[in-house]
Amino acid sequence: MTLETEVQSLRQVPMFREVDPARLKLLAFTSERVHFADGQRFFDRGDAADAAYLILEGEAAVTLDGPQGPIRLALLGANALVGEMGILADQPRSATVTAVVPTTALRIDRRVFLELLSQFPQIAIAVMRELAHRLEMTNQQLAQTRTG
């Protein structure tokens, strides 16, 4: 995969659309394309938050261990960012993320991710919107659990 192809992949991601192509090239250059087999974990709950992952192809499940086994919190697909919460909170991973089909992602190192947020307010806003959306979905799920 060439650097130009990586840049084109990043341009498809809504939060990166407004970013200068030269910056996207730098992001593609400093990030690593990683492949996960079906069932392979990106990371486990409690791991150090050393990187964020941008899913390019495939799907990943976000789970927590419950009394009766894993509880699926979300299923994320192409263009989804995962692992950013631990970086932003400066905390270990709060959930386990596992590929549910063969998945390709861009691994963005913690330092690079934080630099991106500081240099591009539109990316920081997009990440905040996504986190707010996830929180709202979680609140709705909790409300349904308590009333159902």
Side-chain angles (χ1 to χ4, degrees), residues 3-80:
L3 205 51
E4 286 305 318
T5 312
E6 291 284 5
V7 170
Q8 288 308 316
S9 291
L10 289 172
R11 285 207 90 54
Q12 302 306 308
V13 179
M15 79 173 71
F16 294 137
R17 283 204 184 117
E18 305 301 315
V19 176
D20 176 54
R23 296 278 188 194
L24 287 180
K25 195 175 280 189
L26 183 62
L27 175 60
F29 183 74
T30 57
S31 300
E32 176 187 5
R33 185 177 275 254
V34 290
H35 302 281
F36 297 94
D38 180 4
Q40 187 177 0
R41 291 185 175 175
F42 285 47
F43 51 79
D44 287 303
R45 182 172 190 222
D47 287 353
D50 59 348
Y53 294 85
L54 178 66
I55 298 174
L56 300 173
E57 300 172 332
E59 291 183 326
V62 181
T63 59
L64 284 176
D65 288 331
Q68 278 81 38
I71 300 166
R72 183 181 285 187
L73 303 176
L75 183 63
L76 304 174
N79 299 336

Side-chain angles (χ1 to χ4, degrees), residues 96-136:
T96 298
V97 175
T98 309
V100 295
V101 297
T103 301
T104 302
L106 200 62
R107 183 185 184 279
I108 305 169
D109 182 78
R110 170 192 181 89
R111 182 186 49 76
V112 173
F113 182 74
L114 290 171
E115 199 171 291
L116 253 178
L117 296 182
S118 69
Q119 288 182 7
F120 297 98
Q122 68 268 35
I123 293 176
I125 290 168
V127 169
M128 285 188 282
R129 281 190 181 127
E130 178 59 27
L131 291 174
H133 174 72
R134 289 184 196 168
L135 179 59
E136 180 60 29

Side-chain angles (χ1 to χ4, degrees), residues 129-146:
R129 281 190 181 127
E130 178 59 27
L131 291 174
H133 174 72
R134 289 184 196 168
L135 179 59
E136 180 60 29
M137 297 301 289
T138 301
N139 288 343
Q140 288 177 13
Q141 286 176 331
L142 282 172
Q144 288 174 355
T145 303
R146 294 192 194 278

